[in-house]
Amino acid sequence: MVGVTTTTTAAILKTLWPQSRVDDLVYADHPLFAMMPKMEGFYGANMVLAFRYADSAGRSATFATAQANVGAFSAAKVTLTRVKDYQICQLDSEAIEASENDKGALIAALDTELESGFNNISRSLATALYGTGSGSIGRVGSFTTTAITLKNIDDVAKFEVGMKLVASSADTTGSRNSAAETPITAVDRDLGIVTCDTTLIAALQNDDYLQIEGDWNLKVSGLAAWIPRSAPSATAFFGLDRTPDVTRLAGLRIDCTGLNPEEAVVTVLSKQSREGGRPSHMMTNHKDFRGIEISIGSKVEYEMASVGNIGFTGIKVIGPKGVAVVHADQDCDSGLLYSLQLNTWKIYSLKKAPRIFDRDGNKLSRVYNADSWEARIGYFAQLGCTAPGYNANVLMPA
């Protein structure tokens, strides 16, 4: 395949995408993604993260007993592997040239398509940071032959016209109808209704899980995988059996549905502190953020967090080990809150995530069989945590 050269594309590409602008596009609406620590040197085949989860048992007020019970501390490791994600932007030559200046168009087609591509793949990664790795973005509440009403209306933020959906009976198993796909033709964001031809997924059922075509079980293992809502079984997680100590190896699961929102966040901070954690950030959906804000009332204190040029407003909550800040994030499922000691987490990526793939020095490549040009955006990455037991998955009050 013959690509363009930097000389022939200098007029339209040389100032379009400074890194600061890319960061602004990527992080603007995704607080967790923006604030999550990052390590962009994930080279090689895999990466091992090790942690100690129990101290040596060789202690007693009686010397002989201490000596008889001597033993090593307990340690564990996970072996991270990367996942891939791609965004392709394609335009024909005439569209690029006809819209490359103010005389021909209100906005440049190339610039707009690249911006749209970055927004789309950024949302993909930001949403996956909360997921199980399955790629599920919602569940079927009910359906007709022409539409799906989502079980959780707030999940509608993850759906877009043009997406192609597949379904499964469970989150990571039970693909429906050999993963037949159906395109979304309309989205009702007030009612949580996705218009599509559900007959293309012949075995679709209420409560089924929905994914974007090509994503199923291929996404980053996010918070819901590292701190699952249910205690994990012995099934290996990146090679680790987490059953020896499900709290220290798979985080806390806290049910606060019987409390008011203010009581919930205080209770969570207390329980994390008991386990040795120093929670710094609490991430929840806008709906639950509003509930916390109303519950705290006139006592509410706000704090601004900044990542580059992007700012996020949060609510300060005092816990036994200091201040944690609650942030609203559209990527988090409603009804949940993740209370995190953020310095125990990292997005490990092979170079920047996401980025334009320009290995040959060109941001655009010629499509070999058409008068078109193609930009490829993507990432190779995985989420990792060095102290799961300091973090919590919380069911919030309705």
Side-chain angles (χ1 to χ4, degrees):
M1 180 182 294
V2 178
V4 301
T5 68
T6 53
T7 300
T8 59
T9 59
I12 57 172
L13 285 179
K14 67 179 181 181
T15 60
L16 282 179
W17 294 97
Q19 190 55 58
S20 59
R21 181 181 175 192
V22 172
D23 287 345
D24 289 351
L25 288 173
V26 167
Y27 300 145
D29 297 318
H30 310 293
L32 178 62
F33 185 18
M35 289 186 272
M36 181 75 74
K38 298 167 182 68
M39 196 282 278
E40 297 171 358
F42 190 173
Y43 294 93
N46 53 52
M47 176 177 292
V48 174
L49 302 180
F51 33 87
R52 187 180 81 236
Y53 67 92
D55 293 328
S56 169
R59 192 216 61 77
S60 174
T62 303
F63 177 82
T65 302
Q67 193 171 55
N69 292 337
V70 71
F73 62 85
S74 297
K77 69 177 182 178
V78 290
T79 305
L80 299 185
T81 52
R82 297 180 295 267
V83 298
K84 306 174 183 179
D85 203 359
Y86 301 101
Q87 170 73 45
I88 306 299
C89 301
Q90 205 173 92
L91 300 91
D92 69 28
S93 297
E94 184 178 10
I96 294 174
E97 295 182 5
S99 64
E100 68 184 7
N101 59 38
D102 293 340
K103 182 178 180 180
L106 296 175
I107 55 175
L110 176 60
D111 190 53
T112 303
E113 182 64 14
L114 287 176
E115 179 175 325
S116 176
F118 267 108
N119 283 337
N120 196 34
I121 198 166
S122 300
R123 183 172 61 248
S124 172
L125 178 51
T127 301
L129 289 177
Y130 286 96
T132 63
S134 70
S136 297
I137 57 174
R139 296 181 70 180
V140 178
S142 61
F143 66 98
T144 66
T145 58
T146 59
I148 294 170
T149 299
L150 298 174
K151 186 169 185 175
N152 187 335
I153 290 177
D154 294 311
D155 284 338
V156 76
K158 303 170 188 175
F159 291 79
E160 300 284 343
V161 172
M163 286 179 173
K164 293 184 177 181
L165 298 179
V166 296
S168 59
S169 58
D171 187 35
T172 59
T173 60
S175 175
R176 294 295 190 192
N177 200 27
S178 301
E181 49 82 13
T182 180
I184 298 175
T185 57
V187 178
D188 185 326
R189 301 194 180 278
D190 291 323
L191 299 178
I193 297 174
V194 178
T195 302
C196 57
D197 183 355
T198 62
T199 64
L200 297 176
I201 306 178
L204 190 70
Q205 299 291 327
N206 290 346
D207 292 326
D208 275 2
Y209 292 76
L210 299 169
Q211 305 91 24
I212 299 170
E213 183 185 19
D215 281 357
W216 194 42
N217 291 332
L218 294 174
K219 301 301 290 294
V220 161
S221 295
L223 299 180
W226 283 91
I227 323 167
R229 186 62 247 155
S230 300
S233 67
T235 302
F237 177 70
F238 290 119
L240 174 65
D241 173 3
R242 296 185 283 180
T243 57
D245 192 327
V246 294
T247 294
R248 291 188 177 174
L249 298 178
L252 290 94
R253 281 148 290 283
I254 305 174
D255 187 341
C256 291
T257 53
L259 306 176
N260 70 45
E262 182 181 10
E263 291 170 337
V265 294
V266 173
T267 298
V268 170
L269 294 178
S270 176
K271 289 188 175 182
Q272 284 180 273
S273 297
R274 182 196 68 185
E275 294 300 326
R278 294 181 177 272
S280 56
H281 295 73
M282 305 178 102
M283 297 292 177
T284 194
N285 188 273
H286 287 78
K287 176 182 176 182
D288 298 290
F289 180 89
R290 184 171 67 248
I292 295 169
E293 192 174 31
I294 292 170
S295 180
I296 295 175
S298 61
K299 298 177 293 181
V300 71
E301 291 185 57
Y302 297 99
E303 182 169 299
M304 177 66 74
S306 297
V307 179
N309 298 322
I310 308 300
F312 303 101
T313 301
I315 297 172
K316 294 170 64 174
V317 183
I318 306 297
K321 293 187 177 179
V323 174
V325 182
V326 185
H327 289 282
D329 192 334
Q330 66 183 19
D331 304 312
C332 183
D333 291 341
S334 63
L336 291 180
L337 177 144
Y338 288 95
S339 188
L340 308 174
Q341 182 173 321
L342 207 58
N343 64 6
T344 66
W345 297 88
K346 275 191 178 72
I347 299 173
Y348 296 92
S349 62
L350 180 55
K351 302 185 179 179
K352 196 167 184 66
R355 59 190 171 91
I356 293 179
F357 293 141
D358 57 353
R359 183 74 179 175
D360 59 359
N362 299 314
K363 291 182 172 63
L364 289 179
S365 297
R366 187 187 298 276
V367 178
Y368 82 97
N369 62 347
D371 183 20
S372 300
W373 302 87
E374 184 173 275
R376 298 175 181 177
I377 306 169
Y379 61 85
F380 312 118
Q382 189 54 265
L383 180 64
C385 182
T386 54
Y390 293 166
N391 300 272
N393 181 326
V394 184
L395 275 179
M396 289 296 284

